Amino acid sequence: MSQFTAMTAPDRLQELVGQLRPRLRNVIGVTIGKGGEGKTTTGVNLGYMLAQEQAHLADQGHEAKPVLYIELDSNGNGRLDLKILGGKYDDDGYGFVGAVTEDKAFTVVKNVKPYLDMTVGGAANAGLAAEISRLAGKHVQAPYLMLAMLLAQISHHYAWIIVDFSPGDVSVQRLGLAAVTHLVTPVKNSDDAMLGGLQTVANLVADVRLINPELGIAAIGFLGFKKVAGEATGELDILRVKIELLLEEAELDPSLVMRDHIRDSRGLATACRNNGMPARELALAANEMLMDEKGNAVPRPRYTNSRLVEPDKALDLAEDWATFTSDVIKRVIDRNTELEGAVA
């Protein structure tokens, strides 16, 4: 980092960027320009579904690698969703922040779920923005590449890396956007604040082109909208049109908007978080198909009112996430093919 100052020739920074980018094409970011849009829910479920795919490959005797979930949010709700909050590996994010900003050992919690590793977010992440800003005062753009440099060293160990970063601070968003190649943006509301948040993301993507020319939105997905006979309602159709127009105004491809969506299931979403289970795992447990380490069926999960989670409803939600993940990865693979062709 010390080699980069305000006097450093731009070519040297671009040389570093060029070395990093080919190693980061399996890195997917999840963010949005405002809170409450399902960012962590999306990151956790996407990571879990991808990890399930790797577990299936391993069961079939094929090569498999774990998936890494990284949370850059000071709320650290991913710890709830993956059931490590308050456990022996929960350090409130201090290990991760130290690795990014002070070159300390990078601590990863292994196998929080089968084939899913994670880094812990929490209170320590609140100080990340100030530290990045301090370093940027001396080293200009280079500090925003610290996460990218860290992930470039370990990306070959992982099939996919999911980076979940909060919309609260531009410095943290820039750090995340400089590291990821593909961006997934969840939408949970249909108000003007959400549209403004989406515009913020589009602006940020444009702002980091110097340090990440490969960054692109891969998919804009929808969470918590009704389905009638498996189809979207008029509310979502109208919202899709609004977002497509917004993308066209920003000279982006309207096809980034995903056609399917995650159904409205607030009770199940709460049950997932309270039980520390992503949607697919909740469905397995609700159908008595999830086994503990001793080979016994995990007790059926319950809602906050102690009522048992309905097996069929849990399966419907899990199927939504399976479709969502499949669509995202198809888009990511297509983008990678384009990027590789452009380099060649």
Side-chain angles (χ1 to χ4, degrees):
M1 189 62 63
S2 60
Q3 63 182 297
F4 294 100
T5 68
M7 302 301 293
T8 302
D11 288 351
R12 290 188 63 190
L13 184 67
Q14 289 308 301
E15 182 181 354
L16 173 60
V17 171
Q19 293 171 351
L20 293 174
R21 292 319 317 165
R23 303 181 184 186
L24 298 171
R25 291 186 184 142
N26 63 339
V27 184
I28 302 171
V30 181
T31 195
I32 184 63
K34 66 178 288 292
E37 295 293 335
K39 170 184 60 62
T40 298
T41 298
T42 300
V44 166
N45 278 282
L46 185 60
Y48 182 81
M49 293 302 300
L50 292 172
Q52 285 277 287
E53 180 186 42
Q54 293 300 310
H56 178 69
L57 287 174
D59 289 342
Q60 298 297 315
H62 301 296
E63 180 184 2
K65 293 181 179 181
V67 174
L68 177 63
Y69 168 71
I70 296 175
E71 188 172 24
L72 290 182
D73 196 328
S74 59
N75 289 330
N77 285 332
R79 296 173 296 176
L80 274 171
D81 293 344
L82 295 171
K83 211 172 185 176
I84 70 162
L85 181 67
K88 65 178 180 178
Y89 299 113
D90 183 4
D91 68 351
D92 240 1
Y94 283 94
F96 174 74
V97 172
V100 173
T101 61
E102 301 175 36
D103 202 26
K104 292 183 177 179
F106 186 49
T107 303
V108 173
V109 185
K110 303 282 189 179
N111 288 311
V112 292
K113 303 291 181 183
Y115 277 85
L116 182 62
D117 298 349
M118 76 173 293
T119 64
V120 179
N125 292 76
L128 190 56
E131 181 62 13
I132 296 169
S133 297
R134 183 187 71 80
L135 291 169
K138 295 181 180 180
H139 307 294
V140 200
Q141 295 274 13
Y144 298 111
L145 289 169
M146 291 188 297
L147 180 59
M149 289 187 283
L150 182 62
L151 296 186
Q153 298 174 56
I154 65 169
S155 62
H156 61 287
H157 294 301
Y158 291 98
W160 301 101
I161 298 174
I162 309 297
V163 183
D164 161 9
F165 48 103
S166 66
D169 187 274
V170 172
S171 295
V172 174
Q173 281 202 313
R174 200 166 282 165
L175 180 77
L177 291 171
V180 309
T181 299
H182 313 282
L183 200 61
V184 176
T185 301
V187 172
K188 196 176 180 180
N189 296 290
S190 56
D191 55 19
D192 289 344
M194 180 282 300
L195 293 172
L198 199 57
Q199 182 66 61
T200 297
V201 171
N203 293 340
L204 284 169
V205 170
D207 287 345
V208 300
R209 287 297 181 199
L210 180 66
I211 53 176
N212 187 355
E214 293 188 347
L215 175 64
I217 299 174
I220 298 173
F222 301 93
L223 280 65
F225 290 87
K226 290 182 180 179
K227 282 189 176 182
V228 177
E231 299 295 328
T233 64
E235 177 192 7
L236 183 52
D237 289 336
I238 293 170
L239 179 59
R240 280 198 181 105
V241 172
K242 287 183 179 180
I243 294 176
E244 287 167 355
L245 291 172
L246 182 68
L247 291 173
E248 289 176 349
E249 290 174 3
E251 298 184 350
L252 295 172
D253 187 354
S255 69
L256 295 174
V257 177
M258 296 173 69
R259 303 317 303 170
D260 208 346
H261 67 283
I262 308 299
R263 71 190 63 213
D264 183 12
S265 51
R266 298 175 193 178
L268 281 173
T270 301
C272 285
R273 178 155 288 177
N274 289 347
N275 286 276
M277 294 178 173
R280 174 64 178 166
E281 190 175 44
L282 188 83
L284 290 172
N287 285 271
E288 300 181 325
M289 297 171 61
L290 185 67
M291 303 299 163
D292 62 19
E293 294 177 355
K294 296 181 179 179
N296 300 317
V298 171
R300 285 180 59 188
R302 296 177 180 272
Y303 294 108
T304 52
N305 63 3
S306 297
R307 184 166 53 88
L308 288 168
V309 169
E310 301 94 333
D312 55 342
K313 290 184 178 180
L315 282 173
D316 286 343
L317 181 61
E319 184 60 32
D320 284 353
W321 280 110
T323 302
F324 181 98
T325 302
S326 178
D327 192 0
V328 167
I329 294 307
K330 181 183 181 302
R331 292 161 179 262
V332 165
I333 291 172
D334 288 347
R335 278 205 75 237
N336 275 340
T337 300
E338 293 174 4
L339 291 170
E340 290 162 7
V343 171

